[in-house]
Amino acid sequence: MDIADEFAGIDLGDRRLDERAVELIESLSRQPMVSINAACGGLAETTAEYRYIDHIDVTPEKLLELHWAATIERIKGQPVVLLF
């Protein structure tokens, strides 16, 4: 399963916000150890991402809700899971 599949059902109340969430998560997941600035690749992209993150309808809980659910489903299929 890739990022787009895992977040396909995201609903932030606006299709544009939903699409941007997938784009943002994909760009950050390509380089998970770097800053948002480094992951975005330019000033305009970085500014856009920070504006997106500051949007009233975009919360960490909403962004991660589907990821948490998918993680639980993956865990259910394993005999032993170690969480840190």
Side-chain angles (χ1 to χ4, degrees), residues 69-79 81:
T71 300
I72 297 293
E73 289 306 310
R74 285 190 290 272
I75 287 171
K76 287 179 182 178
Q78 304 302 315
V81 177

Side-chain angles (χ1 to χ4, degrees), residues 10-23 52:
I10 195 165
D11 184 7
L12 299 171
D14 184 319
R15 179 187 51 80
R16 295 167 297 177
L17 292 176
D18 300 342
E19 290 171 358
R20 190 67 178 161
V22 173
E23 291 173 17
Y52 178 80

Side-chain angles (χ1 to χ4, degrees), residues 13-75:
D14 184 319
R15 179 187 51 80
R16 295 167 297 177
L17 292 176
D18 300 342
E19 290 171 358
R20 190 67 178 161
V22 173
E23 291 173 17
L24 172 61
I25 293 165
E26 284 179 332
S27 69
L28 294 175
S29 70
R30 281 191 288 274
Q31 301 179 72
M33 300 304 286
V34 302
S35 67
I36 291 175
N37 297 355
C40 292
L43 180 59
E45 294 87 356
T46 300
T47 302
E49 298 306 352
Y50 278 114
R51 276 195 202 124
Y52 178 80
I53 291 168
D54 284 340
H55 192 284
I56 190 82
D57 292 328
V58 178
T59 66
E61 294 80 14
K62 286 181 182 178
L63 287 176
L64 292 173
E65 181 178 6
L66 292 173
H67 174 61
W68 291 332
T71 300
I72 297 293
E73 289 306 310
R74 285 190 290 272
I75 287 171

